[in-house]
Structures are given as structure tokens and as C-alpha cells.
Amino acid sequence: MRVLVAEDEEVLAELVATGLRRAGFAVDTVYSGDAALAYLGLHDYDVVVLDRDLPRVHGDDVARKLVAESSRTRILMLTASASMEERVEGLDLGADDYLGKPFDFPELVSRVRALRRRSARPVPPQLERLGVRLDSVRRLAWRDGVELDLSPKEFSVLQILLEADGAPVSAEELLERAWDAHADPFTGAVRVCLSKLRAKLGEPALIRTVQGAGYAL
């Protein structure tokens, strides 16, 4: 659900990030290995799309550090070389998957989703509670059989609440998991998104505010 794109070609990095956001992920971008390590130390990412040839700190060293720390962040390694030797070397470094450039974007999205399902917070393909059903693969949701017209952010928030299975989720956790690092925690973005989501879910209301704990469905 939250992805870091570490790619030194800034135009490519932003194109990848834009496409992943449209697919429903919260995405941050960095352009060097040292920046990647800084972001990985600050935020809990499900997947890092890691260019192998990063400046300042090589992508291989970023992968080694994640493996050494037993990080749950999955690694999709990118490289301009598609040789079998390069792929084997990258996987031996600890990458979970490997993709050569140039690549087809739908394949990248599919591989990121597959890695997300293998993370420490696995997402079942179907989530259901109180008449609300969500398909995390096709990114569709229904209430009592009626399809909901949700924005990518509203879908992500609903998915997080369904994953919690009735337990409250704090606004801080929603912000951490569904928004990128540039989100201002003081803008009220979570509250506004929840207000719109409540309206789209309709009556009777399903999302309740749990005083001092967050929100629950």
C-alpha cells in the first residue's frame, strides 16, 4: 500500500510514481541511495522499487542493508541490464523480484501488488464486513451489492479499516499507510477523506469515531 521509488532518472521516477498512485498506492520518490536509506529509516514501506545503479549509495548496498536489518519491506530491483547473470546477482543480494528496463508499466504494477501480498501485512484478495465487500485485486468495492464509486484514497482508507476487522485505526496510522511523506498531518486530510467515504457508504453509518483511538468499521 505504501511504496518508495528509488530511481536516479527523475523523469522516470516521477512517471512510475504517478502510475502507482493511480493504481492506489501511496508513493514517495528519491533519486539517490543515501536518500533511499533515509526514507526507509523513517517510514514503513511495503515495497521499494529500487534502481540498482543509484548514486552516492549503490542500490546493491541499499538492498544489503534492508536484508541485514531483516526489514519486512519487499524489494523490486530495476536495472538497465536484463542478462541472466545480473538477475541472479540481484536476487542473491536479497531482492524479492527483478525487472529489466525498459519495462511495461502494467507488469510493474502487477509485480508491486504481488510483493505487497507477500509482505508482513498480507492483504486477502477479498475483504468483507457489515455488508461491505472489497476486492483488493480489481480495486472494486460494494455495499449490499451496490458498487461504490471511490477515489483511490477513499479505497485505500476503506481497505485499511476492513483489514482491522473492527479494531480502531488511528488517524496517524491512516496517514502513515495511505498518504505519502509530503502529506501535512495538520491539514485534516484524513478527516476530510473519511467524511467523503462515510457519505459514499450511505446509511446507516458504518464508520464510527472511537474517542482517543481513531476510527473503526
Side-chain angles (χ1 to χ4, degrees), residues 50-128:
L50 181 66
D51 179 37
R52 192 166 184 188
D53 297 314
L54 289 173
R56 295 201 287 274
V57 176
H58 197 273
D60 290 359
D61 294 321
V62 175
R64 288 189 186 99
K65 185 170 177 59
L66 286 174
V67 172
E69 293 175 347
S70 300
S71 172
R72 67 164 205 85
T73 301
R74 300 295 185 179
I75 302 169
L76 173 57
M77 190 170 276
L78 301 179
T79 182
S81 173
S83 71
M84 183 176 65
E85 292 79 8
E86 287 279 336
R87 291 198 302 271
V88 170
E89 188 176 352
L91 293 169
D92 284 345
L93 285 168
D96 298 281
D97 201 356
Y98 204 94
L99 193 58
K101 301 177 187 176
F103 50 80
D104 293 324
F105 193 76
E107 182 180 6
L108 174 68
V109 173
S110 179
R111 287 173 181 258
V112 169
R113 283 182 174 152
L115 290 177
R116 170 65 174 87
R117 290 193 293 272
R118 289 165 52 190
S119 72
R121 279 198 310 255
V123 179
Q126 298 278 338
L127 294 163
E128 190 165 359

Side-chain angles (χ1 to χ4, degrees), residues 128-168:
E128 190 165 359
R129 181 175 173 82
L130 301 176
V132 176
R133 184 164 60 90
L134 180 146
D135 186 322
S136 64
V137 176
R138 294 188 294 158
R139 295 193 65 78
L140 297 173
W142 302 262
R143 179 174 184 181
D144 297 328
V146 178
E147 187 173 341
L148 301 170
D149 182 19
L150 303 180
S151 71
K153 198 67 67 184
E154 291 159 359
F155 186 95
S156 294
V157 169
L158 179 60
Q159 181 172 324
I160 294 167
L161 293 174
L162 283 168
E163 287 177 23
D165 197 26

